[in-house]
Amino acid sequence: MSCPGFGELNIPSSRAFWDDCEEDEFENVEPAEKLQLKFDDSEAVNPIASEHMIIIESPHIAHFASSALLQDMKRICKIPAKDSALYWQPSKLQLLAILEDDLTKSGEVTELLIPYARLAKKVTTLTLKPKVDYKSEEINKYVDEIGIVRSVGPNLANVQELEAPNFIAGVAAGIASWRDQEQTPINAYVIYTDKLPLDGTAAQPVLKLLQKIGLSCNSSYVPARKDSSYLYM
Amino acid sequence: MLHLKSKGKELNITEYTVIIPSICVGNAAQLACDLLIASKQLKKIGSLTHPALIPVYGPSAYQHEPNEKVTSCELYESVEDKLLVVQFRAPWISRHTRDFQSQLVALLKGARRVVILSGSFGFERRIIEESPWAYRASDNFKAAHAEQLGNPEVIKWKEHTGDIIYGGGNGLQLFQAFNEEGVQVMLLFRYLLEGDNSTDASLIVRELNELCEDFLQLRSGGDGSFKLTVPKSWNLLFGNDVTELMF
């Protein structure tokens, strides 16, 4: 009986690069083309001064955003990270960035959104992560929680602060970090949720937090119907 | 982009030793820098942002600075010891790395000397009896540290001459970039394997201190030993406890 792979050296890939690159390929990597926001209206290219800029970042966020969050919102531009976009609500002077999780482009997208964050009076970020990413010495306390809500640093919503070694990563983290370095107000939240993409139950803590921070949104969410299920039927 | 807490526009590091980790196998070099920052209670003076760096934001990684926030690239300083430690907390994006690296070199080239820490896959060490350490140093670094590097009682490292350090991340490219600028630079790496690399991290710190106490200013208590502090961000390094529901 043979043993497949026996004696073969399985060389792990480099830890240095997030994207697919190895040490011996690094010299041949082409420099990146600069990303740009794609504006719907060519006259609206200047950054908007808002009362409140809200950034929501998560994997598979598009349907949740379009069905529960975007009432009376006008899309300003597409953000070059999967299906991400920036929306504007003139009546409340609110900017809402809906960001699909795309870490490869997150540093560059952060730079594209900094002009908006610079002009905003108040900035709030919300990152959604799977619950399995949450680290705690008392993890058994959270077994039955649908969502674990935390904030990075003090916040206005009386949410418990995130503890090391947990952290957030991505555009929301970039903007929060930039505002913090500029010593301007920032509220950064993270929800570790039981289910991504969100379903009706997992969306509840998210909607509650968004209402608390002043975003007009529905009180419930009905996920898109799928033709296939996870069950073998 | 450099963000200094002092709101200054540039770093004044003329007499400084700069320690930079490369993102290597087992993240051993970053762990070594973590130990150094926590043990010497270095002060965060700023951070760097660039499209090559995945943004990171979270609670402080160290007990001695509980109100700080972690970011993807941080700068820690000891004014007294003239030591600057760079810490990375995320892997890089390869297509932006060249630009970031050239900006990093431009920022730090005024330093007295630069030490890059790294690691390489253990199976790349072809002769098992050889030292688990290897180094690469610029000519001006060798000249300035001839006494230490030439002392076989202290230094048993092998000089690396290859073109690639497998598992060493961008350490060698960074070394070459500093060397081209005429900066005194040394790349020190250890052959190691993925796993619990906290021991490798402390060995890297101790080995570097052995070469020259002047690099790290880790002073012994008289018996040749010094105490390293483990940062709080090392809690749960391998994840949560197994949930009770499994049983």
Side-chain angles (χ1 to χ4, degrees):
Chain A
M1 201 172 102
S2 68
C3 181
F6 179 75
E8 286 177 21
L9 192 58
N10 190 7
I11 298 175
S13 58
S14 171
R15 274 181 178 260
F17 304 106
W18 177 255
D19 40 358
D20 192 18
C21 178
E22 299 302 322
E23 279 96 9
D24 52 352
E25 298 167 350
F26 173 62
E27 290 296 328
N28 304 320
V29 173
E30 293 290 320
E33 275 184 35
K34 205 168 163 46
L35 297 180
Q36 286 183 329
L37 299 174
K38 289 177 189 157
F39 289 91
D40 293 353
D41 177 355
S42 58
E43 289 175 8
V45 293
N46 291 327
I48 297 168
S50 60
E51 281 291 320
H52 192 183
M53 182 180 185
I54 300 164
I55 296 167
I56 304 174
E57 188 173 29
S58 165
H60 316 292
I61 189 74
H63 185 269
F64 172 72
S66 63
S67 59
L69 309 181
L70 297 176
Q71 304 98 333
D72 308 325
M73 291 264 178
K74 184 193 169 202
R75 193 176 79 179
I76 304 171
C77 61
K78 281 187 184 173
I79 296 169
K82 294 182 184 165
D83 202 5
S84 306
L86 187 62
Y87 299 86
W88 172 240
Q89 193 186 46
S91 62
K92 287 189 161 183
L93 301 179
Q94 270 183 354
L95 264 177
L96 176 64
I98 300 293
L99 292 152
E100 282 283 340
D101 198 33
D102 185 355
L103 290 183
T104 308
K105 292 176 180 169
S106 57
E108 224 175 335
V109 171
T110 300
E111 292 199 342
L112 294 174
L113 294 184
I114 280 177
Y116 293 89
R118 191 191 304 274
L119 294 177
K121 281 190 184 157
K122 197 165 87 169
V123 176
T124 304
T125 69
L126 170 61
T127 305
L128 301 185
K129 293 177 81 168
K131 198 171 143 186
V132 71
D133 284 355
Y134 182 65
K135 287 185 180 178
S136 169
E137 284 171 358
E138 299 175 311
I139 197 67
N140 285 319
K141 266 171 64 177
Y142 304 104
V143 169
D144 297 327
E145 302 264 328
I146 296 161
I148 304 165
V149 185
R150 291 286 182 272
S151 82
V152 184
N155 62 89
L156 302 174
N158 293 324
V159 168
Q160 195 178 326
E161 284 189 38
L162 191 69
E163 322 83 5
N166 298 291
F167 61 88
I168 56 171
V171 180
I175 294 293
S177 178
W178 181 84
R179 290 276 294 193
D180 187 51
Q181 282 156 354
E182 294 291 309
Q183 292 165 359
T184 47
I186 177 69
N187 286 292
Y189 299 96
V190 54
I191 298 182
Y192 294 89
T193 177
D194 231 0
K195 173 90 174 66
L196 280 173
L198 294 170
D199 61 16
T201 314
Q204 278 308 310
V206 181
L207 293 170
K208 269 187 198 161
L209 180 68
L210 290 174
Q211 284 168 347
K212 223 174 185 178
I213 62 178
L215 182 74
S216 308
C217 57
N218 294 354
S219 55
S220 62
Y221 165 62
V222 180
R225 191 179 177 282
K226 281 186 178 172
D227 291 334
S228 61
S229 80
Y230 299 120
L231 299 174
Y232 295 98
M233 291 176 74
Chain B
M1 193 199 299
L2 173 68
H3 301 270
L4 287 177
K5 290 173 79 178
S6 65
K7 300 282 173 199
K9 295 284 174 210
E10 53 189 54
L11 282 171
N12 183 9
I13 48 170
T14 320
E15 288 302 312
Y16 276 60
T17 300
V18 177
I19 311 280
I20 307 174
S22 87
I23 301 165
C24 64
V25 49
N27 297 99
Q30 292 156 282
L31 294 173
C33 286
D34 256 353
L35 279 180
L36 196 54
I37 293 163
S39 305
K40 289 189 63 64
Q41 304 206 344
L42 301 186
K43 195 169 169 251
K44 185 174 172 183
I45 56 161
S47 59
L48 296 175
T49 57
H50 189 275
L53 302 168
I54 295 172
V56 165
Y57 187 58
S60 175
Y62 307 109
Q63 297 87 319
H64 69 279
E65 290 204 307
N67 298 324
E68 289 295 339
K69 300 284 183 294
V70 298
T71 60
S72 359
C73 176
E74 300 168 340
L75 305 172
Y76 286 86
E77 180 191 45
S78 165
V79 178
E80 184 198 357
D81 299 331
K82 299 212 175 304
L83 180 68
L84 182 84
V85 178
V86 180
Q87 179 61 300
F88 294 107
R89 300 201 182 276
W92 296 9
I93 305 301
S94 62
R95 56 211 169 90
H96 294 292
T97 296
R98 201 182 299 268
D99 181 55
F100 175 61
Q101 202 162 268
S102 61
Q103 288 189 29
L104 188 67
V105 171
L107 182 72
L108 301 175
K109 68 181 180 186
R112 179 181 163 206
R113 60 195 167 189
V114 173
V115 177
I116 301 164
L117 303 178
S118 190
S120 182
F121 295 123
F123 48 76
E124 290 290 331
R125 183 163 61 125
R126 304 302 161 102
I127 303 166
I128 207 75
E129 293 84 13
E130 273 187 352
S131 165
W133 301 94
Y135 78 104
R136 189 94 171 236
S138 62
D139 291 339
N140 52 6
F141 187 97
K142 284 181 191 168
H145 301 85
E147 193 186 328
Q148 293 99 329
L149 288 170
N151 183 353
E153 290 297 310
V154 180
I155 301 306
K156 300 179 177 72
W157 310 340
K158 187 186 164 196
E159 188 165 2
H160 178 266
T161 50
D163 295 328
I164 295 169
I165 299 172
Y166 288 101
N170 65 318
L172 194 54
Q173 284 82 11
L174 202 54
F175 167 82
Q176 282 156 349
F178 276 112
N179 195 15
E180 281 165 19
E181 290 289 336
V183 180
Q184 282 189 38
V185 57
M186 177 180 73
L187 168 70
L188 171 67
F189 65 94
R190 177 173 167 79
Y191 291 100
L192 49 96
L193 292 168
E194 296 276 357
D196 182 353
N197 299 99
S198 49
T199 310
D200 293 305
S202 61
L203 287 172
I204 290 173
V205 173
R206 285 170 195 278
E207 193 73 13
L208 194 57
N209 203 49
E210 198 158 302
L211 167 71
C212 186
E213 198 181 290
D214 180 33
F215 283 162
L216 308 182
Q217 304 282 354
L218 282 165
R219 295 169 191 95
S220 67
D223 59 351
S225 64
F226 50 81
K227 194 169 173 265
L228 292 174
T229 306
V230 173
K232 66 176 176 186
S233 51
W234 285 22
N235 286 354
L236 303 168
L237 213 50
F238 298 99
N240 292 317
D241 288 342
V242 178
T243 170
E244 287 165 6
L245 290 179
M246 278 188 73
F247 305 104

